[in-house]
Amino acid sequence: MSDSNTTNFTNPSTFILLGVPGLEGAHIWISIPFCAMYAIAILGNFTILFIVKSEMSLHGPMYYFLCMLAITDLVLSTSILPKTLSIFWFNSREIDFSACLTQLYFIHCFSAMESGIFVAMGLDRYVAICHPLRHSTILTNPVVAKIGLAVVLRGAMFALPYPFLARRWPYCTTNIIPQSYCEHIAVVKLACADIHISNYYGLFVVFSVIGLDVSSIAVSYTLILRAIFSLPTKDARLKTFGTCGSHLCVILAFYIPCLFSAFMHRFGHNVPLHFHVLMANVYLLVPPMLNPIIYGVRSKELRDRLFQLFTHKGT
């Protein structure tokens, strides 16, 4: 074997991102919905942060969790979209090795945080619906702060091994990543070494973080639904069910593509690559766009405050 084929660049200076392999000719068209979703996500989440900050009456557990979700969505979408759009618009495919590992860390860290925030919001809805008289005494500001800190620390700690594992492998064949961003398993699959540790750790995170969170959310909403059907009036049941139903749709829009992407990297060898890449982008783009719309529309307080802002400016 020639030396050129065995050259070991343990820390390659750059990786090459292909965007959406097989659909290079449609990159400009793909960028239009991507850019629109990003713009809506930025506008919607900043609007929620501004309204909650400026309105003292909204300083409560639900809105604190909503602000945490908004910040997480802003970081998550911003960690991939600028580079993805530069690939689509300017064919700027190179990404520095350290920048790739940083992006990888932010994606996994804030994805875990978002999952944890969904659990916290499910807990808040459970207490508000099933124990409304005790809501203010159970979810006090110190308790909310502790939950938020636990969510942040868990995401940071579980994502920390990812860049270290990716850095330790030798990359001696190619530095071309067939995706639009750096994702852990997509990067380590380029290594010319036994990457079972990376693979097993990724599956461990999926089952221990995502699996546990999905189970917790399922239990919360099962108890919520049981409480909804015991409400005395049909209108109250429909209103509460509609709110919880929309929240569940947002949660499913995050978890389904997330789990699909995690398992397809390992087992979906027959799935077209462009479909896999598009789905991998969906769970990082669609929830940040939908969250402020769904939670904002379903929250009367947020709607009223937003209406007041616009009418006051108009006046």
Side-chain angles (χ1 to χ4, degrees):
M1 185 178 292
S2 67
D3 292 339
S4 61
N5 290 331
T6 60
T7 301
N8 188 316
F9 48 105
T10 304
N11 289 325
S13 58
T14 60
F15 280 116
I16 306 297
L17 296 169
L18 295 185
V20 184
L23 297 178
E24 287 85 357
H27 274 177
I28 292 296
W29 296 106
I30 297 172
S31 72
I32 296 174
F34 277 31
C35 188
M37 286 189 286
Y38 183 53
I40 294 171
I42 294 292
L43 179 62
N45 286 296
F46 270 119
T47 300
I48 284 179
L49 291 172
F50 174 76
I51 291 175
V52 174
K53 182 181 182 300
S54 60
E55 183 58 49
M56 291 296 296
S57 64
L58 300 181
H59 291 187
M62 184 179 81
Y63 296 103
Y64 289 147
F65 291 138
L66 191 55
C67 286
M68 289 179 60
L69 185 64
I71 294 170
T72 302
D73 283 337
L74 287 170
V75 175
L76 199 57
S77 56
T78 302
S79 66
I80 69 161
L81 245 294
K83 181 58 184 178
T84 299
L85 292 178
S86 72
I87 296 171
F88 290 165
W89 291 344
F90 310 114
N91 203 32
S92 176
R93 300 184 176 189
E94 289 191 0
I95 183 169
D96 183 78
F97 182 70
S98 296
C100 183
L101 296 185
T102 302
Q103 185 187 55
L104 178 156
Y105 176 77
F106 270 78
I107 290 169
H108 290 284
C109 175
F110 282 87
S111 294
M113 287 185 194
E114 179 139 349
S115 181
I117 295 168
F118 282 137
V119 175
M121 295 178 79
L123 173 65
D124 174 70
R125 289 299 85 205
Y126 164 73
V127 176
I129 293 172
C130 299
H131 304 284
L133 298 180
R134 300 174 57 198
H135 183 263
S136 59
T137 58
I138 294 175
L139 289 176
T140 60
N141 286 345
V143 171
V144 171
K146 290 176 183 177
I147 292 174
L149 180 61
V151 167
V152 171
L153 290 178
R154 188 191 69 158
M157 290 175 61
F158 271 104
L160 194 59
Y162 282 126
F164 289 103
L165 287 171
R167 184 179 287 276
R168 74 186 296 267
W169 303 124
Y171 298 89
C172 56
T173 53
T174 181
N175 62 340
I176 298 175
I177 302 174
Q179 281 204 188
S180 58
Y181 61 84
C182 293
E183 199 269 345
H184 173 248
I185 197 66
V187 173
V188 300
K189 281 171 71 174
L190 304 181
C192 51
D194 186 349
I195 61 167
H196 280 93
I197 295 176
S198 293
N199 201 15
Y200 291 148
Y201 182 73
L203 289 174
F204 166 74
V205 172
V206 169
F207 288 111
S208 62
V209 175
I210 305 298
L212 181 62
D213 289 353
V214 170
S215 300
S216 301
I217 292 170
V219 170
S220 296
Y221 278 91
T222 299
L223 296 173
I224 288 171
L225 289 174
R226 190 175 69 176
I228 288 173
F229 289 117
S230 66
L231 291 174
T233 64
K234 182 179 178 180
D235 288 342
R237 289 197 296 269
L238 289 175
K239 181 180 179 181
T240 311
F241 183 79
T243 300
C244 292
S246 61
H247 293 181
L248 280 173
C249 289
V250 171
I251 291 169
L252 290 175
F254 173 79
Y255 283 115
I256 291 175
C258 177
L259 292 172
F260 176 89
S261 178
F263 288 117
M264 286 307 101
H265 264 304
R266 296 167 174 87
F267 312 114
H269 305 297
N270 296 324
V271 177
L273 185 56
H274 65 271
F275 180 75
H276 179 194
V277 173
L278 290 173
M279 287 296 290
N281 281 276
V282 164
Y283 90 92
L284 297 179
L285 291 178
V286 173
M289 175 192 69
L290 287 181
N291 289 339
I293 296 174
I294 297 297
Y295 290 110
V297 168
R298 284 296 179 178
S299 172
K300 184 178 183 300
E301 292 83 359
L302 282 175
R303 290 201 312 270
D304 292 345
R305 180 57 182 161
L306 186 61
F307 181 73
Q308 289 173 11
L309 286 174
F310 280 112
T311 55
H312 177 70
K313 289 181 179 180
T315 303

